[in-house]
C-alpha cells in the first residue's frame, strides 16, 4: 500500500511566499504538491519542512471551501 507523502510547507526566503501542500496520494503533482521555484518571484531555493498542525488544518479548510 502506498504511503502518502507527509504534508509539507514550502517557504520562499526571498519574498516571503509560503504554501502548505497535502498530497492526496504518492503521485506528486508539480506546483500543486511540490514546488521547485517560487511562483511569485521565481526564486529557486525554497525552504521546505514538514507542515505543522496549524498549517495542515488551514490547508484542509482551504481545500474544503475551494
Ligand atoms: Zn519568492
Amino acid at each position: 500500500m502506498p504511503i502518502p507523502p507527509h504534508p509539507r510547507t514550502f517557504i520562499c526566503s526571498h519574498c516571503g511566499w509560503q504554501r502548505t501542500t497535502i498530497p492526496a496520494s504518492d503521485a506528486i503533482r508539480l506546483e500543486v504538491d511540490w514546488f521547485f521555484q517560487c511562483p511569485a518571484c521565481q526564486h529557486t531555493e525554497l525552504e521546505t519542512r514538514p507542515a505543522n498542525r496549524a498549517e495542515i488544518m488551514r490547508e484542509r479548510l482551504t481545500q474544503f471551501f475551494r
Side-chain angles (χ1 to χ4, degrees):
M1 190 173 102
I3 300 163
H6 196 274
R8 298 198 72 83
T9 295
F10 295 82
I11 301 155
C12 176
S13 58
H14 187 75
C15 75
W17 172 87
Q18 184 172 320
R19 176 75 67 85
T20 299
T21 65
I22 305 175
S25 70
D26 61 350
I28 299 289
R29 293 160 297 170
L30 194 60
E31 299 197 333
V32 177
D33 299 321
W34 198 268
F35 292 87
F36 288 112
Q37 73 174 29
C38 174
C41 75
Q42 323 309 320
H43 187 65
T44 52
E45 288 170 35
L46 299 182
E47 293 174 30
T48 176
R49 57 170 169 74
N52 63 39
R53 290 175 69 91
E55 290 165 343
I56 294 167
M57 192 75 83
R58 194 173 52 207
E59 177 59 18
R60 287 232 168 93
L61 281 172
T62 304
Q63 290 181 354
F64 184 77
F65 288 111
R66 196 170 286 159

